Amino acid sequence: MLMLNKNVMGEEYKKLINILSEHCDCFAFVERRQLMKNEKERLDYITNLTTKIQGNLIKTNIQSKWETTALGGGNTAYVFYFELNDTTSEFLKEKSNSLFEWHNPKLPEDLMFYQNDKCLLAGCSHEGFFMVDEALWNSFLLS
């Protein structure tokens, strides 16, 4: 995996989501519990935000680590996993105009994309980096 500090924005962001949609079957994002002033209200906000794609929700896990982050001190986060298809791809493009725009409070954090449980892209928006499979990144650059 390559680690990049370049934000992907605008039409490039939409192009990246399209390429990820061709190569991945699932995406996820994170809601860190320690950032929630009121957990129920925040989870309701996320449910409202994702109303159009709730039928594509695969699972929600409580985790202390994921591709870009390992939380210490017993902290945990909700990680929401969704099918990646035309509907959810459009959702990702409608809700944001950039890979690093995925962060609290407007949106969940740390978009991740998977193919058969293998992560091909994992963002860490609030720290301004993402990791990406080299072959997928080359496909993006050549498109």
Side-chain angles (χ1 to χ4, degrees):
M1 297 270 275
L2 301 171
M3 188 181 326
L4 303 171
N5 296 90
K6 172 190 187 315
N7 193 3
V8 181
M9 302 182 300
E11 291 304 313
E12 294 291 300
Y13 169 76
K14 290 177 182 172
K15 184 171 79 169
L16 180 60
I17 296 299
N18 289 338
I19 287 175
L20 288 161
S21 296
E22 293 170 10
H23 292 90
C24 298
D25 57 12
C26 170
F27 79 93
F29 55 65
V30 175
E31 273 294 314
R32 291 188 292 157
R33 295 172 82 189
Q34 75 265 28
L35 297 180
M36 296 179 181
K37 290 180 182 162
N38 181 312
E39 193 165 319
K40 182 188 177 328
E41 284 180 12
R42 185 61 185 178
L43 292 175
D44 287 346
Y45 175 82
I46 297 302
T47 299
N48 289 335
L49 180 76
T50 59
T51 297
K52 290 183 179 179
I53 63 167
Q54 278 297 309
N56 298 283
L57 180 65
I58 298 168
K59 64 184 176 181
T60 303
N61 288 348
I62 295 177
Q63 298 175 207
S64 60
K65 65 180 184 171
W66 51 95
E67 275 67 25
T68 60
T69 304
L71 299 174
N75 291 313
T76 58
Y78 291 97
V79 183
F80 298 83
Y81 294 86
F82 292 87
E83 295 172 26
L84 186 56
N85 54 39
D86 291 342
T87 301
T88 57
S89 176
E90 285 306 308
F91 166 84
L92 293 168
K93 292 185 277 189
E94 287 171 9
K95 295 298 178 188
S96 178
N97 196 39
S98 127
L99 194 57
F100 293 168
E101 215 172 82
W102 287 90
H103 61 82
N104 195 297
K106 181 184 170 199
L107 294 170
E109 302 183 321
D110 297 353
L111 274 182
M112 297 168 281
F113 295 84
Y114 301 90
Q115 176 61 41
N116 296 326
D117 296 325
K118 178 185 178 197
C119 187
L120 297 185
L121 185 144
C124 190
S125 324
H126 66 281
E127 291 190 23
F129 77 90
F130 66 97
M131 299 181 309
V132 62
D133 176 82
E134 189 171 356
L136 185 123
W137 187 246
N138 288 336
S139 294
F140 169 72
L141 293 175
L142 294 173
S143 65

